[in-house]
Structures are given as structure tokens and as C-alpha cells.
């Protein structure tokens, strides 16, 4: 991740007359998920502090504890130099309209330049009034289905907070962790597995009728060459095939040394140099 993530505070999240403490708590959780911490409340209906908010904040206590309350929107944004208003409805006027993915870099650039920014979110029932939108510098709206444009306030905050976090990453595909680096096995190892499996299947009469064997082998190879097995994975598969090849219900692993296994091991053992017993002179 970019080190820039920790160099700026991030925009203030401003909730205008929020009605339910539970929603405020979920907003705090969404903020904390993506590195935002400054929550401003304008005339919350049920007062503040609110234990219902803390209960739904999922331990985002630092956001709840630092939240500030203002009697009016004008006072809540008085110290800010750039403010965005979120809305799902088209508004008459001349305000620029941005998508979240466009708005986040603008906010980050201003924050990096030591400006103070904020994002307005309206009431759960009807959002922001036209007068409140008019106090903002620009509008942010979400690319949602117009047939169902209602967003929960915490969802709206989550979308903006996510875009804010993304705007500070080294690349858009940055994530906190990645899967392991996979190095495919050499082709000779894969071919060895395929030959091993083909021999084992042929010994058990799998390729029937004989005229279709070539096509069946082609399909088998197509399936097994698709995943890009590692060397370790190929060793596991060959161990499975060997176990099926040498052991059977009548001679399971652990009850002895099956004749087929002994017959396969004897030539290999004969090729290995004999080691002198311990204590003998070299």
C-alpha cells in the first residue's frame, strides 16, 4: 500500500440530522474499515452520546468517542474548504456532479494540500434538502439502479470511504495480502505424471475400447495440463497413483510389502551403491 495513506487525515463524514443511533454506529464502522475517523453529527434526533450507536459500531470506538455534534450544518462545515454533498436524486442547479471514483482523488489531492474537506450525508428518510446541497461545492451520486435508488446511510458512507481508501493505494489492485507465488513444475515432471497415470490406467483396463484409447489419453492430458501444477503437487499426485498401483484391498498399505511394490523397487535398489556399515574403514 502507498505510504500516503497515513499522511492525510481524510475527509470529515458529516451526517445531517441522523435519526437512529444504530445507523450512526454502522457509519462509524464503515469509516473505520477504510481509514476515516472524523465524524460530525448535525442535530442527531435521539441526542448524543448514544449507546445504540456504540453497540453497532463493532468496536470502532475511536470514531464514536471523537464524534462532534453541531446544532446546524453551517457550523458543522464552517472550517472546511471543500465539501461534497451525496444524493441519489437529480437536483436542479449548476453544481458539478461526480461519481465516487472521480470524487475520491479530488478529496485526496485537497487533503494532501492541507485543505480540510467533508462529505455530507442526509437523513435516512429523505436525504439532504436542496438548500443543504446548495452549501456544497459539488454533488456525488452513485451509479445505482434508478428503479431502486434508496441507499442506507451506512452503505453510502461505505462506498465513499472505499473509494477514498482506493485513491491512496499504489495501484487500484492493491490488497493487504496476496496468495502464495506459484511456480509451475517443469514440463518433464508433468509428462512423467501423465505417463505414470496412463500406465496405471492401462494396467486396469481403463482404456476401452482400445480404438478410443488415443482420444481418451488426449482428453486426460488436456484435463491435467490445465491447472499448472507445482512440483510439490505433482509429487502428491504421483504418490497417489503409486499407492493405487501397488496396494489393493487385499494388500493395503501397512500390512506388508506387496509383491508388485517389491518387483518395482528391486531394480532401483540394485542400481544404488552399497553403503559401508558404520564403523568400517573406508
Amino acid at each position: 500500500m502507498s505510504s500516503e495513506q497515513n499522511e492525510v487525515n481524510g475527509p470529515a463524514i458529516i451526517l445531517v440530522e441522523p435519526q437512529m443511533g444504530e445507523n450512526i454506529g454502522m457509519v462509524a464502522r464503515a469509516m473505520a474499515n477504510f481509514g476515516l475517523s472524523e465524524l460530525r453529527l448535525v442535530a442527531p434526533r435521539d441526542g448524543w452520546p448514544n449507546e445504540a450507536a456504540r453497540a453497532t459500531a463493532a468496536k470502532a470506538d475511536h470514531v464514536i468517542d471523537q464524534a462532534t455534534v453541531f446544532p446546524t450544518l453551517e457550523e458543522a462545515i464552517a472550517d472546511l474548504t471543500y465539501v461534497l454533498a451525496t444524493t441519489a436524486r437529480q437536483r436542479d442547479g449548476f453544481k458539478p456532479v461526480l461519481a465516487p471514483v472521480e470524487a475520491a482523488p479530488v478529496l485526496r489531492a485537497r487533503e494532501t494540500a492541507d485543505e480540510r474537506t467533508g462529505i455530507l450525508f442526509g437523513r435516512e428518510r429523505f436525504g439532504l434538502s436542496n438548500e443543504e446541497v446548495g452549501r456544497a461545492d459539488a454533488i456525488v451520486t452513485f451509479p445505482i439502479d434508478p428503479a431502486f435508488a434508496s441507499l442506507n446511510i451506512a452503505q453510502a458512507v461505505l462506498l465513499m470511504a472505499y473509494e477514498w481508501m482506493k485513491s491512496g493505494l499504489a495501484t487500484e489492485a492493491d490488497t493487504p495480502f496476496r496468495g502464495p507465488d506459484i511456480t509451475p513444475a517443469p514440463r518433464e515432471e508433468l509428462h512423467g505424471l501423465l505417463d505414470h497415470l496412463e500406465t496405471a490406467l492401462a494396467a486396469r483396463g481403463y482404456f476401452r475400447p482400445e480404438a478410443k484409447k488415443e482420444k481418451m489419453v488426449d482428453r486426460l492430458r488436456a484435463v491435467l495440463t490445465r491447472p499448472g501444477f507445482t512440483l510439490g503437487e505433482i509429487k502428491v499426485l504421483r504418490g497417489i497413483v503409486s499407492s493405487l498401483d501397488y496396494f489393493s484391498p487385499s494388500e493395503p498399505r501397512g500390512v506388508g510389502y506387496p509383491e508388485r511394490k517389491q518387483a518395482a523397487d528391486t531394480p532401483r535398489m540394485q542400481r544404488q551403491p552399497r553403503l559401508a556399515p558404520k564403523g568400517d574403514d573406508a
Side-chain angles (χ1 to χ4, degrees):
M1 287 192 181
S2 169
S3 60
E4 188 183 330
Q5 291 284 20
N6 298 319
E7 295 175 1
V8 293
N9 296 320
I13 299 298
I14 304 155
L15 307 185
V16 179
E17 297 183 2
Q19 296 168 261
M20 300 178 62
E22 292 86 349
N23 284 340
I24 298 173
M26 288 189 286
V27 165
R29 178 179 184 175
M31 292 171 60
N33 282 152
F34 296 104
L36 297 178
S37 59
E38 186 176 356
L39 177 61
R40 301 185 182 190
L41 307 174
V42 178
R45 184 190 67 180
D46 295 338
W48 194 261
N50 187 312
E51 286 307 310
R54 190 178 297 278
T56 55
K59 298 185 178 179
D61 293 332
H62 63 291
V63 178
I64 296 294
D65 292 338
Q66 296 171 19
T68 51
V69 178
F70 298 85
T72 66
L73 174 58
E74 185 177 9
E75 292 171 270
I77 63 175
D79 63 324
L80 304 181
T81 59
Y82 185 77
V83 177
L84 296 175
T86 60
T87 180
R89 303 193 311 274
Q90 185 172 350
R91 309 286 181 138
D92 295 330
F94 53 88
K95 299 287 184 184
V97 178
L98 305 173
V101 70
E102 297 173 299
V106 174
L107 291 169
R108 187 167 290 277
R110 288 178 175 271
E111 286 281 332
T112 302
D114 292 329
E115 294 187 36
R116 293 296 292 117
T117 68
I119 311 173
L120 303 182
F121 296 86
R123 303 153 190 83
E124 290 92 328
R125 283 200 310 117
F126 59 87
L128 296 167
S129 69
N130 286 337
E131 180 184 353
E132 290 160 347
V133 172
R135 293 182 179 275
D137 296 280
I139 289 172
V140 177
T141 193
F142 304 99
I144 54 180
D145 187 344
F148 195 76
S150 175
L151 273 180
N152 176 279
I153 189 172
Q155 293 174 324
V157 171
L158 183 73
L159 288 172
M160 288 302 301
Y162 169 68
E163 292 297 341
W164 162 261
M165 173 66 81
K166 239 175 47 172
S167 71
L169 299 177
T171 70
E172 278 201 354
D174 244 353
T175 53
F177 57 89
R178 293 284 182 179
D181 292 332
I182 301 297
T183 302
R187 303 306 290 182
E188 62 179 346
E189 295 290 343
L190 181 58
H191 293 157
L193 167 65
L194 295 169
D195 291 342
H196 188 174
L197 183 57
E198 181 182 341
T199 301
L201 291 173
R204 286 157 179 76
Y206 176 79
F207 300 111
R208 291 182 296 176
E210 182 66 25
K212 291 188 176 181
K213 178 180 177 181
E214 184 176 352
K215 182 176 287 188
M216 294 174 74
V217 169
D218 286 344
R219 288 179 178 175
L220 180 64
R221 288 178 178 272
V223 169
L224 292 177
T225 53
R226 192 177 301 148
F229 294 118
T230 65
L231 181 58
E233 290 167 340
I234 284 180
K235 288 181 178 179
V236 169
L237 291 172
R238 293 200 68 165
I240 292 171
V241 176
S242 293
S243 183
L244 295 174
D245 201 24
Y246 299 131
F247 301 96
S248 67
S250 61
E251 291 182 294
R253 182 184 290 274
V255 298
Y257 197 24
E259 292 181 6
R260 283 178 296 171
K261 177 66 171 166
Q262 185 173 5
D265 286 347
T266 298
R268 178 173 57 83
M269 296 298 292
Q270 290 174 341
R271 289 194 301 269
Q272 292 180 352
R274 180 179 177 275
L275 298 178
K278 290 184 179 179
D280 290 358
D281 292 334

